[in-house]
Amino acid sequence: MTAALGAFLRRLDPAPRLLGFGEPMHGEESFLLLRNQMFRFLVEHEGYRSIAIESSCLKGLLVDSFVRGPDRRPLDDIMERGFSHGFGESRANRDLIGWMAEYNRRHEPDEQLRFSGFDAPIEMTSADSPRQALTFLDTYLRTHLDEQDLPCTPGRISALIGDDDRWSNPAVAMDPTQAVGTTPEAVELRLIADDLMTLLASQTPRLVADGTRDEVWEAELHGRVATCLLSYHAGMAENSPRRIARLLGIRDTLMADNLSAVVQREADRGPTFVFAHNGHLSKGETHWDLAGLHLHWWCAGAHLDVRLGDAYTVIGSAVGEAPGHGIGQPPPGTLEDRLFAVGESCLVPAAPVARRIGDVEKRADPSGNSTYFPLDPAGVGELDGILFVRHIDDAGT
């Protein structure tokens, strides 16, 4: 597959600064193993020095510190604490982090690899308290600036946040009345977060001169997360048909903001490889039928397409058959059926497929994996390439 990736990249002009690889489902190691192979090829042959994956951006800082050497704690601890969504349990993710750490031990600091999570600290039915992000930003500014420049005391922030459990209450997912995002305390916290971010932006030249760009970058990250979480919690308090789609849109916008920041940070070192679900990396709207609702929102890839243009390239992936996930051979008349007829796994440019797609249907196979999204023929034009995995057996190969 790496030879096919090399041939695909040689057709691109200009070369991307951000290359996305999407998976059609979570929980299938085959796609993570392919990601690892692709990243190693990109590092060794294409000058890539950074990878970002769909995991908490705050937890990802711990992983980055580990692969670059400052953090010497055991890898088991990094896998447990450095990933969200249960992704730390993946053997392929463990292999990726181990390989990156070993690579960095053999290279000078300016050639070392960096790791980023780019997702919000949000799970399917809950979102984190803003405490960690807001306290970090406040502490950073308080350390470098005059006390009188800060909008409030640390004690005020803590008092307004209160009990973290009320923010992360999973019952809010089904009952907006239990949300705290529109309480007077939450409204005041949003104003404080805005003031802190304005102060950070206005003092950036001084802060860079006093410290490092990495320190400012990390403060900006925590500020983005704080404002996003407060907006997300406010959205959780809404009671409207658009509530879920709006929340999904907030999450994807932060994903795009985080990836844009990574690309800017890495501009002088090399391109970045990003791995996530297809639904986050496509250049168009994401559509999801859930519990009788047709949800649609602009995903991270759509924002990146607007911001980066040709500098953002995305390869989406599809699967032919995966019996272990309840996915049988593709039904006739589907896009996967046409790709299945090729007889082997392949990586192909998406544009010719989109032009010749004709009258094909979206696959509707039953699956034991709730995160599985068949490739939508209407969305093929929102990809630059398609990686088709013809068969995944029960062992994940």
Side-chain angles (χ1 to χ4, degrees):
M1 193 56 68
T2 54
L5 176 60
F8 175 82
L9 292 174
R10 285 192 291 274
R11 289 192 289 265
L12 300 178
D13 185 23
R17 295 168 59 199
L18 181 65
L19 174 64
F21 173 42
E23 60 177 352
M25 67 178 83
H26 289 321
E28 174 48 60
E29 290 282 283
S30 298
F31 293 103
L32 279 70
L33 292 170
L34 281 169
R35 174 206 64 193
N36 290 358
Q37 295 170 16
M38 294 165 72
F39 182 54
R40 182 166 184 166
F41 171 83
L42 293 169
V43 168
E44 295 176 345
H45 299 280
E46 301 293 335
Y48 282 61
R49 291 293 177 267
S50 176
I51 187 170
I53 75 167
E54 184 187 339
S55 181
S56 166
C57 54
L58 299 186
K59 290 179 180 291
L61 295 170
L62 180 65
V63 182
D64 185 55
S65 179
F66 176 82
V67 300
R68 291 192 296 131
D71 195 319
R72 297 298 185 183
R73 72 187 74 192
L75 180 56
D76 285 346
D77 190 41
I78 299 299
M79 299 310 298
E80 180 181 351
R81 300 180 57 223
F83 292 84
S84 59
H85 314 325
F87 293 157
E89 299 173 7
S90 162
R91 180 68 201 185
N93 279 339
R94 186 184 185 91
D95 291 345
L96 171 69
I97 302 312
W99 179 79
M100 291 178 68
E102 177 59 30
Y103 181 96
N104 285 347
R105 279 192 286 270
R106 295 183 282 105
H107 289 81
E108 296 299 318
D110 60 344
E111 296 179 349
Q112 289 185 348
L113 308 179
R114 299 204 64 169
F115 176 94
S116 298
F118 71 93
D119 200 354
I122 293 170
E123 297 291 347
M124 179 63 81
T125 60
S126 65
D128 282 7
S129 159
R131 183 184 305 277
Q132 178 186 354
L134 203 53
T135 301
F136 183 98
L137 176 60
D138 178 73
T139 301
Y140 172 78
L141 292 172
R142 196 170 298 280
T143 301
H144 293 275
L145 303 178
D146 221 314
E147 179 87 17
Q148 63 185 7
D149 292 332
L150 278 292
C152 67
T153 66
R156 180 60 179 165
I157 292 175
S158 182
L160 290 169
I161 292 173
D163 184 0
D164 287 331
D165 288 344
R166 68 192 188 115
W167 293 87
S168 56
N169 177 13
V172 174
M174 302 302 296
D175 183 5
T177 65
Q178 297 192 45
V180 299
T182 54
T183 61
E185 294 83 1
V187 172
E188 185 174 344
L189 284 168
R190 293 181 78 175
L191 293 173
I192 290 171
D194 184 64
D195 285 345
L196 290 173
M197 285 297 282
T198 300
L199 180 59
L200 175 62
S202 67
Q203 295 297 316
T204 291
R206 171 184 169 179
L207 293 166
V208 170
D210 290 347
T212 67
R213 289 189 179 275
D214 264 6
E215 289 176 344
V216 176
W217 190 93
E218 194 169 329
E220 291 171 339
L221 169 63
H222 282 83
R224 286 195 303 273
V225 170
T227 55
C228 169
L229 282 173
L230 289 164
S231 179
Y232 193 92
H233 282 290
M236 292 185 81
E238 293 183 8
N239 188 11
S240 75
R242 285 289 296 162
R243 174 179 181 251
I244 297 176
R246 180 173 180 270
L247 294 174
L248 293 167
I250 292 172
R251 178 190 175 198
D252 264 86
T253 302
L254 178 64
M255 287 181 166
D257 291 343
N258 287 338
L259 286 171
S260 295
V262 169
V263 170
Q264 183 178 19
R265 184 192 69 191
E266 297 296 308
D268 295 331
R269 292 184 355 105
T272 295
F273 187 47
V274 56
F275 177 75
H277 197 286
N278 285 337
H280 295 303
L281 298 183
S282 166
K283 295 181 178 181
E285 274 192 303
T286 293
H287 294 260
W288 187 17
D289 292 318
L290 176 68
L293 297 174
H294 180 69
L295 307 173
H296 56 95
W297 67 97
W298 294 108
C299 66
H303 292 286
L304 293 165
D305 183 42
V306 171
R307 299 176 190 183
L308 300 178
D310 290 342
Y312 174 56
T313 295
V314 58
I315 299 168
S317 60
V319 61
E321 56 183 0
H325 294 278
I327 303 171
Q329 188 168 327
T334 61
L335 179 56
E336 284 88 350
D337 178 55
R338 292 195 177 185
L339 294 168
F340 196 84
V342 173
E344 59 184 4
S345 298
C346 57
L347 172 57
V348 297
V353 176
R355 288 194 297 267
R356 302 169 188 167
I357 203 166
D359 186 20
V360 299
E361 301 175 357
K362 182 179 179 179
R363 186 178 191 175
D365 287 83
S367 172
N369 188 327
S370 62
T371 70
Y372 170 57
F373 283 38
L375 200 60
D376 188 348
V380 170
E382 296 159 359
L383 301 170
D384 297 294
I386 300 171
L387 193 157
F388 181 69
V389 179
R390 193 172 192 273
H391 177 83
I392 297 173
D393 63 24
D394 292 345
T397 59

